[in-house]
Amino acid sequence: MNSYDVVVIGGGSAGLSAATALARSRRSVLVVDAGEPRNAPAAGAHNVLGHDGIAPTALLELGRKEATGYGAEIRTDRAVAARRTDTGFEVDLDETGRVRARRLILATGLADELPDLPGVREAWGRSVLHCPYCHGWEVRDRRIGVIGSSPMSGHQTLMFRQLSDDVTLFTHTMPAPEGEELDRLVARGVRIVPGIVSALRTEGDAVRAVVLDGGDEIEVDAAVVAPRFVARAELYEQLGGTVTETPVGSFVETGPMGQTAVPGVWAAGNTADLTAMVVSSAGSGVAAGAAVNADLVAEDAEAAVRERATP
Ligand SMILES: Cc1cc2nc3c(=O)[nH]c(=O)nc-3n(C[C@H](O)[C@H](O)[C@H](O)COP(=O)(O)OP(=O)(O)OC[C@H]3O[C@@H](n4cnc5c(N)ncnc54)[C@H](O)[C@@H]3O)c2cc1C
């Protein structure tokens, strides 16, 4: 069984950044990555300083080269189980056996649970969007339809209104806007269409119209949805951790450097922060990598002191 100082589970921007920080500190580190980064459907990753618009897979390829250049090992595989041992952890991998680690970093990202409407999945990440910072510029001045399904849909509508004068809020399953929220939407010129949406009409990955129950269609160039964000936390739960539930999803709570409530386990990226974008995920990965290294430095120093004191 291979043993490492650190096993990082997940090789997106968070995991690869953690691995690079650790490898540069001369830690033995394995990244196990199933190869399904959350933004894979998008053509480009935006707000990525120095690489704005780069294809998501191309960015991770650069990250992999950097991490392996400093000695990190990367396996394309899936971690399916994790348990504590006397000296750290054991992780079972789907195809390549079992590995040991002194510390674990969970950088497994999150799953976007999309509204169950025909057309949403087909155009997700292309013309079905959720994040104004990721794709807003690309749909500026276009006809944008927001499909209301969450208490945050009114807020999301105003965020996209910043990008286009032509925004329609389909109230669908959200609580009907009222009071201050309604005043703001109306004052900002948002059209509000009540009723249940039955589908998005798409051509390939392009949304053409929102279809209402009853058959009426309203043409749009992009649709905005509010997925439920669910951190991939099965391994954390196996190790005794519990996720924190919020109205928009669930995540693994951490301290500022990524330390979780489970000793020896850190979390970074979307696993720990549902709102983290590519660069902030990378930032939390570096922080977790640095914190894990510091923790191991302290443990190694204590072991050396004990050894020196032994006659
Ligand atoms: C459609 C879309 C477009 C986006 N566009 C942008 C954008 O333009 N700019 C921006 O800054 N952000 C964007 N984001 C957000 C961005 O995707 C996230 O911020 C980023 O991917 C988070 O990085 P991460 O490393 O935490 O997770 P991920 O990138 O999702 O990486 C997690 C990795 O862990 C792997 N994994 C999961 N479980 C296991 C397991 N058990 N074993 C092994 N591997 C596992 C996954 O396969 C994946 O490769 C977008 C998101 C979406 C949904």
Side-chain angles (χ1 to χ4, degrees), residues 8-16 32-42 44-48 56 60 75 77-80 93 107-110 112 124-126 128-131 133-135 232 234-235 268-271 273 275-282 284:
V8 180
I9 304 171
S13 18
L16 290 173
V32 183
D33 184 38
E36 294 157 358
R38 185 180 165 216
N39 55 346
H46 295 282
N47 278 315
V48 178
L60 295 183
R75 283 195 209 177
D77 204 340
R78 185 176 296 279
V80 290
L93 308 182
T108 43
L110 64 76
D112 292 284
W124 171 239
R126 296 292 177 149
V128 173
L129 317 170
H130 75 298
C131 162
Y133 303 107
C134 306
H135 330 263
R232 295 200 186 93
E234 297 83 358
L235 299 170
N270 278 156
T271 309
D273 177 357
T275 65
M277 297 175 65
V278 166
V279 169
S280 33
S281 298
S284 67

Side-chain angles (χ1 to χ4, degrees), residues 25 98 243:
S25 300
R98 183 174 290 175
V243 295

Side-chain angles (χ1 to χ4, degrees), residues 166-245:
D166 192 335
V167 177
T168 306
L169 171 60
F170 297 87
T171 57
H172 189 48
T173 58
M174 74 183 276
E178 54 184 31
E180 196 177 296
E181 182 176 52
L182 181 61
D183 289 346
R184 287 179 171 194
L185 292 165
V186 171
R188 288 292 278 140
V190 172
R191 271 185 303 278
I192 300 178
V193 175
I196 293 293
V197 171
S198 61
L200 301 180
R201 180 160 62 73
T202 53
E203 280 173 28
D205 60 15
V207 172
R208 300 294 186 210
V210 175
V211 185
L212 293 166
D213 227 9
D216 283 351
E217 288 196 8
I218 293 162
E219 288 189 358
V220 296
D221 303 307
V224 172
V225 297
R228 191 171 156 73
F229 306 121
V230 182
R232 295 200 186 93
E234 297 83 358
L235 299 170
Y236 186 60
E237 289 174 331
Q238 288 174 19
L239 291 162
T242 34
V243 295
T244 302
E245 297 288 342

Side-chain angles (χ1 to χ4, degrees), residues 104-107 252-255 257-260 265-269 271-272 284 288:
L104 289 184
I105 297 181
L106 303 177
V252 172
E253 213 164 313
T254 66
M257 299 290 279
Q259 188 157 16
T260 71
V265 179
W266 274 253
T271 309
S284 67

